[in-house]
Amino acid sequence: MTDNYPYIEVAVTLPVFNTYTYAVPEPLQEIIAPGKRVLIPFGKRKITGYVLGSTKNSDIQGIKNIIEILDEIPLFPSSMIPFFKWISDYYIHPMGEVIKEALPGGINLNECISVHITECGTQWLDQKKAAPLENDILCVLSSDACRLQDISKKLNRKVPNSLICKMEKNGLLCRKREINKPVTRQKMQRYITRPETGIPDEKLSVPKQKILETAAEYGEISVSELKKIIPTAASHIRKLEQNGLISIFSKPVYRDPFGESVSPDHPPKLTLDQQHVVSNVVKNLGNGFSAFLLAGVTGSGKTEVYMHATAQTIKKKLSVLVLVPEIALVSEIERRFRARFGECVAVLHSGLSAGERFDQWIRISNRQCPIVIGARSAIFAPLTNIGLIIVDEEHDTSYKQESRFRYNARDMAIIRARQEGAIALLGSATPSVQSVHNVANKKFNELSLQNRVFLQTLPDIHVVDLRKHKDYRGTRRFITIDLQKAIKETLDRKEQVLLFLNRRGFASYPVCAGCGEALKCRNCDITLTLHQKDKAYKCHLCGYSLPSVAACSNCGSTSIKRLGMGTEKIETTIKGLFPQARVARMDRDTVTRKGALVKLLKGLRNHETDILIGTQMVAKGHDFPNITLVGIICADLSLSFPDFRAGELTFQVLAQVAGRAGRGNRPGRVILQTYNPEHFSITAATDHDFMKFYNQEISFRKTFKYPPFSRMIQLKISGRDREKTRQQSLDIGKMCNSLKKENSDYEQWIDILGPIEAPLTRVANRFRWQLLIKSQGVDLLHRFVRTLIFENGLHLSGHHVKVAIDVDPFFMM
C-alpha cells in the first residue's frame, strides 16, 4: 500500500452500493495493494472483495480481518480505481459489480452451501428405509456432495427446500459452507530440462538417449512438444528424472487466441490528408487530455491513420487502446495491427474462451502488450500510461451494453482518456449526432478525410422505389429487375457483389393459412422466424424454437404461409437466379463458430466468393476491394422503430453499407431499394451528404428536447406476473411525480414520461414496462434518480418485480 494503514477499503462482489472497511493482519500488510483481490467474511458468508486503497476509518467498531490475499500482483492498476468509481456513480451501478464485470470471468472465490449425506443417511439408503424422493436424493449425494439446485437438475424435478430441512433434522444429510474453486486460472504445462551434471551411469535405450539429446539441444522443452518428436517420451521421463538425468517442472503458458500467423507489412506512404490528421494527433501526445472526432468518408484510410498514430504513441513509451464495435471487426483490425507491430498486440472481447481472456488480461497487466484491441469490454483493459484511445466506428450502437450493467464504451473512452491525460480519437464515416454536436460546442476537435485513398470516387447510388413493385409476385418483390440486371453485369465482369438486408433467417412472418394467426413465441410477444437450414422456427429474443413442421397452436392446421424475408431467403433466391455464382452469407447464424468469420473473409479476399449476403455486420469497417456492386434489399427496416434515433440509425447503416462498394481500382455502384425514397435519411445517404442529414436531424432533436439537448434515464420494469408488474410500474410513476413536486428545480427541469408498457411487452416470459426521466441538466437528473433509490426506497430487485436503471438509453423497445 502507498500508506501503511492496517485498514483497507473493499468493494464486494454483490449488488450493494456501499464499500466496506476491513482490517489487514500485520503479516499481510506488506503485500496488500490496490487492485488485488481478498477473501473476506461478509455476514455469514465468505466472498471475494477488491482492494480500493487504504483508509483511516479505524474508529469503526467490530472491523473484521480479511481472510486471505488472492493475488500475487494486482489484477488492475490503481490508476483505474477513479475510473471504476466514476462508472459506478454515473451509471448508478454497484462498485463491486462494475469491477467484476471488468475482470475476466470465473476467477473469483465465493462461499457456497453444499449438501452432504451423513452416516445415518448411508444406512437408510442401504436399508431402503427412506421414502422414494428421499431415497433418490440420498442416491445422488452418495456419489458426491452438491448444491441444492444441482440435486434438482440431476433428478430433473424440483426438490422442495422443506424436504431438505426435514431430512437434515432427521440426520440423513447435513449442509456445509465451502469455498468454490475458481473456474478460470493460469494454464500450467510440464517442461523438461537437462542438468549440466547429469551423466548416465548405464547404457540407455534409444528413446531415452533421444530424450536427453533433445533436451540438451533445446535447453528446455515442453512435454507436449517432446511427444511430437518422440511419441513414447511420456513413459520414460519420470524414470530419467528419478535417475537425476533430467528435471521436470511446470510453468504457466498462454493460450493463443490469434490462430494463424500473419506476414509483416510495411507502412504505406500517407496521403496529405492523412499526414495532416496524424500530425494533429501526435503533436498533442503527452500534453494532457484532448478529444478528436475524425470524420472520414468510407475508404479514406482511417485505419492507416490509427496505425501511424499508434506507432508514434508507442515510440513515446505510451500504451494504446483500440475499440471496435463488434467482435466481427476485431479479427480484421487485429490482423493488420499484428502485421505492423508484431507480438506486442493483445485482444480482449467476449468471443475469447475464459482461459484466453484471462491470459490476455495477465499479459496486459504485466505490461507485455502496449497495444490492446477489442470490442466494448476492452475499455476495462488494465493498461497503464495510456497515451491514445481510439474508438473506431464511434457512432455504432454496439458500444452500448443492453443487459446487466448497461454502459456505453464510447462515452467511457472519453472519461478514461480524460483521467489518464490521454488523447481520445473517435473515427467514423457517419459520426453520431452527439459527437458532431460536441464538435460544434468545442468539446471535441474536428479532423476530416474528405477523399478516398487513391482518389477513388464514392459509388453512384441508384434508388429503386419498391412501391412500384408491390403488385409483383415471388422474387420480383425484393430482387427487382434493376438489381438482378446489375448483379448479372457485375458477375460478367468477374467482380464481386454485396447484398444487404438487416434481418436474418428465411421467413420473418409465418402465418397460418387456416385461421390467419401468426406463429408466435411462447415466451415473447413477437413472431417466430423460420430458419430453413436448421429446420426450425426461432425466437430472436429468447431462443425458443419449434420444428419447421409444427402446426398452428390456434387451429392445428399444418398449412403455414412463410411470409417476410431474411438473409437466408435472399441466399436461396440468389442461388436460384445465379446458379453458377459462389454465394456466401454473413450473419449471426453463420459466424458463431470460432474461425468461421476469418474463413469467410479470407474466401472473399481470395475471390472464392462472388456474392456475399449479410446483415449490418457486413457494413462495419470491412475493406473488400473487388466489391463493385452493393444491393440494399430494403432500406426502411429501421425507420419504423419507435425511437427518436430511427432516422440516424437508418442514415448510418445505409451510408456505411454503400461505402463497401468501389474501394478498389474500379468504380462502385449501389442499388438502394426503398418504400420511402423521399425520407430525408434516404436522400442524404443517396447524396453522400452527412451535413444535409445532420442539419435536419439536429433541428428535430432541439424542438423536442431529445439528446444531445437533454439527458435521459430509463427505468426498465419487468416481472413474471402481468398485474404485479403493472401495479409496481404505476406505483413507481406516482413516486416519481411526488418527488418532482417536492423540489422546485425538479418541477421546472425534470420531465417524466410514463410509465407505459414497453413496445415489446413480453420478453422471455417477463412483462415489461418503462418510465423515462428526462432533463437538460445531467447533475440534476442523476440527483433525482439517486434520491428516488437511496432516500425514497425504490427497490431495484424485488421478489416479483425487477427495476433496471439505464442511463443514456439506446434500445427503447
Side-chain angles (χ1 to χ4, degrees), residues 238-257:
R238 186 61 63 190
K239 185 69 175 176
L240 289 171
E241 183 190 37
Q242 290 171 358
N243 293 338
L245 299 177
I246 62 169
S247 296
I248 304 175
F249 61 98
S250 295
K251 70 176 184 178
V253 293
Y254 289 120
R255 287 153 281 210
D256 183 11

Side-chain angles (χ1 to χ4, degrees), residues 658-710:
R660 300 312 107 194
R663 295 167 76 100
N665 53 17
R666 301 171 185 174
R669 184 184 179 195
V670 179
I671 305 293
L672 188 154
Q673 302 180 159
T674 174
Y675 289 99
N676 296 278
E678 296 88 10
H679 194 282
F680 76 95
S681 297
I682 305 287
T683 59
T686 302
D687 296 338
H688 304 286
D689 192 342
F690 173 78
M691 291 312 297
K692 175 183 176 181
F693 162 78
Y694 174 79
N695 290 332
Q696 188 158 346
E697 180 72 11
I698 203 71
S699 176
F700 154 71
R701 303 274 185 97
K702 189 173 184 179
T703 301
F704 292 99
K705 295 181 182 177
Y706 281 125
F709 299 101
S710 67

Side-chain angles (χ1 to χ4, degrees), residues 148-201:
L148 180 59
Q149 56 265 44
D150 293 332
I151 298 174
S152 297
K153 285 181 183 177
K154 290 181 179 181
L155 294 178
N156 199 25
R157 62 176 293 183
K158 175 70 175 174
V159 175
N161 190 51
S162 57
L163 179 60
I164 297 295
C165 292
K166 177 188 171 186
M167 294 176 70
E168 188 176 18
K169 187 176 180 181
N170 291 336
L172 304 179
L173 51 81
C174 62
R175 304 190 214 204
K176 295 180 182 178
R177 293 182 177 273
E178 297 176 342
I179 302 295
N180 63 351
K181 294 179 180 179
V183 177
T184 309
R185 57 177 71 92
Q186 277 193 317
K187 182 180 180 180
M188 305 298 291
Q189 196 169 66
R190 288 193 304 162
Y191 279 74
I192 71 164
T193 186
R194 183 177 178 182
E196 293 181 7
T197 56
I199 302 172
D201 295 328

Side-chain angles (χ1 to χ4, degrees), residues 283-439:
K283 73 181 181 183
N284 284 277
L285 279 172
N287 296 327
F289 167 72
S290 55
F292 293 90
L293 176 64
L294 172 58
V297 298
T298 54
S300 58
K302 291 185 290 296
T303 303
E304 199 57 53
V305 166
Y306 300 154
M307 290 200 285
H308 273 75
T310 295
Q312 295 301 315
T313 304
I314 61 175
K315 275 184 182 178
K316 293 177 179 284
K317 307 298 182 184
L318 301 172
S319 56
V320 179
L321 174 60
V322 183
L323 299 182
V324 293
E326 286 193 355
I327 298 170
L329 271 178
V330 173
S331 61
E332 187 83 358
I333 295 238
E334 158 256 302
R335 286 174 61 86
R336 294 185 65 176
F337 270 74
R338 279 200 297 138
R340 184 73 52 86
F341 301 106
E343 297 304 312
C344 68
V345 178
V347 291
L348 278 180
H349 56 77
S350 58
L352 302 178
S353 69
E356 288 170 344
R357 184 176 170 83
F358 178 79
D359 287 351
Q360 292 295 298
W361 187 277
I362 295 301
R363 288 180 70 211
I364 301 163
S365 188
N366 288 341
R367 304 187 184 186
Q368 295 173 312
C369 307
I371 302 170
V372 176
I373 300 171
R376 61 174 175 254
S377 62
I379 189 60
F380 301 113
L383 286 166
T384 55
N385 209 20
I386 297 176
L388 177 64
I389 299 179
I390 296 167
V391 184
D392 190 27
E393 309 292 354
E394 65 85 27
H395 67 278
D396 202 289
T397 56
S398 297
Y399 284 120
K400 181 70 161 65
Q401 176 155 299
E402 292 292 349
S403 61
R404 301 188 313 276
F405 169 32
R406 294 169 167 83
Y407 66 89
N408 189 317
R410 179 201 63 191
D411 297 346
M412 284 163 51
I414 301 297
I415 299 302
R416 189 164 187 192
R418 179 182 291 136
Q419 291 183 348
E420 298 270 0
I423 290 173
L425 176 59
L426 281 61
S428 176
T430 55
S432 63
V433 169
Q434 177 75 56
S435 293
V436 177
H437 185 69
N438 284 336
V439 169

